[in-house]
Amino acid sequence: MQDVAQRAGVSAKTVSRVFNDDPHVLPETRTRVEEAMRSLNYVPNVLARTFRAGRSTSVGVAVPDVVDPFFAAIVRAVERVCSASGITTLVASIGDDPARERPVLEALLRTQLMGLILAPVAADHAWLAPWTEHTPIEFVDRAPVDLDADSFVEDDRHGSYLATHHLLQHGHRRVAFLGDQTHPPSTRRRLDGYTEALADAGLPLDEQLIAFDAGSDDGAGRELERLARLADPPTAAFSSNARVTMHSFTGLKTAGLAFVGFGDFPMADRLTPAVSVIDQDPARLGQLAATRALQRFNAPDARYEHSTVVPVGLTVRDSCGLH
């Protein structure tokens, strides 16, 4: 910056004002500084700016799997909100191992983020309390455990109730629940909604119809084969997340089961049969969380509601066999 200032015959502060597009710089001065920047191939030293300000100009996003359509939509929404304010986004994938969550988050937080958006996999977040004193941490999809922090989640229980009730309304009395081991908090809430719908229909909960190992092609295949061997097999199924639906799709179709999945995904409406879904809005979750993080960063003492529940709805296509 000093080299640019010397060549343009201005102060380093003026160089900074030109780079940041300050409208109060005189046109002839701006032209002179821009020419000096080009000739010296000048770019700002972001690390030096971070040291000087004591804070980076980045927001972190940590999700279990950036390839998962649901979490990818959250990341894209955070990026849109941040880029509109000239803020970069740092993205990390936690994976399915709860033990990996803390080291990944600590690596992000040590960069002095303006905020962190987190879709957790661990069941204890008390250790984050010291970090929340100076970094806004916003939870998406799953609420924090043992930590006072904002959360933005979808209405899991009501969504699974809608899906199960829809199948029961059309004559199915044996409805399977397909889940996996990587979404325990949301899976529990969705299992509660499924159970409630059965109870409201006067049907008992049959533990044999609950499958928790459908998070892979092999696992989904094994679970569907087990269900088919029951003395009274299911005629329909509720899939508790988009990943499970994708892994189970071929087996569900082959078995001729009616089914509804929790969460839409790319091409779901173009498959045969087109997949009926509980339509989440992950982009809305990401937008709300990123906006709140920036609000808390800019106004640390402001008061906000900690818990936000985003409604969901049923999108009926062909896979449930009902219109």
Side-chain angles (χ1 to χ4, degrees), residues 160 163-165 167-168 172-179 190-191 194-195 198 203-212 214 220 223-228 230 232-240 244 248 252 255 257-261:
S160 61
T164 308
H165 178 71
L167 294 167
L168 295 173
H172 295 283
R173 288 297 176 264
R174 299 283 288 169
V175 179
F177 179 96
L178 304 179
R190 293 168 193 177
L191 182 58
Y194 162 85
T195 303
L198 293 177
L203 297 173
L205 175 64
D206 184 348
E207 299 282 351
Q208 294 183 99
L209 293 179
I210 299 175
F212 279 129
E223 291 284 32
L224 289 171
E225 287 175 7
R226 178 185 66 79
L227 291 168
L230 294 176
D232 190 4
T235 59
F238 165 62
S239 168
S240 64
V244 169
S248 305
L252 289 166
L257 297 182
F259 64 96
V260 180

Side-chain angles (χ1 to χ4, degrees), residues 2 8 14 53-54 84 117 121 148 163 176 191 203 279 295 298:
Q2 292 291 349
T14 299
I117 316 300
V121 296
D148 188 19
L191 182 58
L203 297 173
D279 193 9
Q295 287 172 334
N298 292 315

Side-chain angles (χ1 to χ4, degrees), residues 53-91:
R55 178 76 65 171
S56 75
T57 54
S58 299
V59 166
V61 189
V63 297
D65 184 358
V66 294
V67 177
D68 185 305
F70 178 81
F71 295 118
I74 289 175
V75 171
R76 286 195 297 270
V78 173
E79 287 176 329
R80 282 195 296 271
V81 171
C82 292
S83 64
S85 299
I87 297 166
T88 57
T89 306
L90 304 179
V91 182

Side-chain angles (χ1 to χ4, degrees), residues 78-300:
V78 173
E79 287 176 329
R80 282 195 296 271
V81 171
C82 292
S83 64
S85 299
I87 297 166
T88 57
T89 306
L90 304 179
V91 182
S93 182
I94 301 170
D96 297 331
D97 182 3
R100 176 173 154 76
E101 182 172 292
R102 181 166 181 167
V104 170
L105 298 185
E106 285 181 331
L108 280 173
L109 289 164
R110 288 192 192 105
T111 66
Q112 298 295 304
L113 299 169
M114 295 176 68
L116 173 65
I117 316 300
L118 168 62
V121 296
D124 178 18
H125 304 109
W127 68 272
L128 282 166
W131 291 101
T132 62
E133 296 296 322
H134 49 81
T135 303
I137 300 179
E138 313 297 326
F139 285 71
V140 291
D141 188 43
R142 306 161 198 182
V145 180
D146 296 328
L147 180 72
D148 188 19
D150 297 328
S151 66
F152 300 87
V153 301
E154 58 283 309
D155 196 341
D156 290 309
R157 183 168 183 143
H158 182 62
S160 61
Y161 183 96
L162 283 177
T164 308
H165 178 71
H166 182 69
L167 294 167
L168 295 173
Q169 258 193 327
H170 290 80
H172 295 283
R173 288 297 176 264
R174 299 283 288 169
V175 179
F177 179 96
L178 304 179
D180 61 11
Q181 303 294 336
T182 62
H183 298 70
S186 53
T187 298
R188 282 196 298 271
R189 293 193 296 269
R190 293 168 193 177
L191 182 58
D192 288 342
Y194 162 85
T195 303
E196 183 182 358
L198 293 177
D200 284 355
L203 297 173
L205 175 64
D206 184 348
E207 299 282 351
Q208 294 183 99
L209 293 179
I210 299 175
F212 279 129
D213 191 26
S216 66
D217 287 348
D218 289 343
R222 286 192 300 270
E223 291 284 32
L224 289 171
E225 287 175 7
R226 178 185 66 79
L227 291 168
R229 290 195 300 269
L230 294 176
D232 190 4
T235 59
F238 165 62
S239 168
S240 64
N241 63 65
R243 179 186 295 184
V244 169
T245 305
M246 289 186 283
H247 288 306
S248 305
F249 177 82
T250 300
L252 289 166
K253 178 180 178 179
T254 301
L257 297 182
F259 64 96
V260 180
F262 200 113
D264 210 352
F265 55 92
M267 303 299 289
D269 59 335
R270 300 190 182 186
L271 294 172
T272 303
V275 181
S276 298
V277 297
I278 296 299
D279 193 9
Q280 300 165 282
D281 193 352
R284 178 69 173 154
L285 295 179
Q287 176 197 0
L288 290 170
T291 300
R292 178 66 57 79
L294 297 181
Q295 287 172 334
R296 286 201 178 276
F297 176 79
N298 292 315

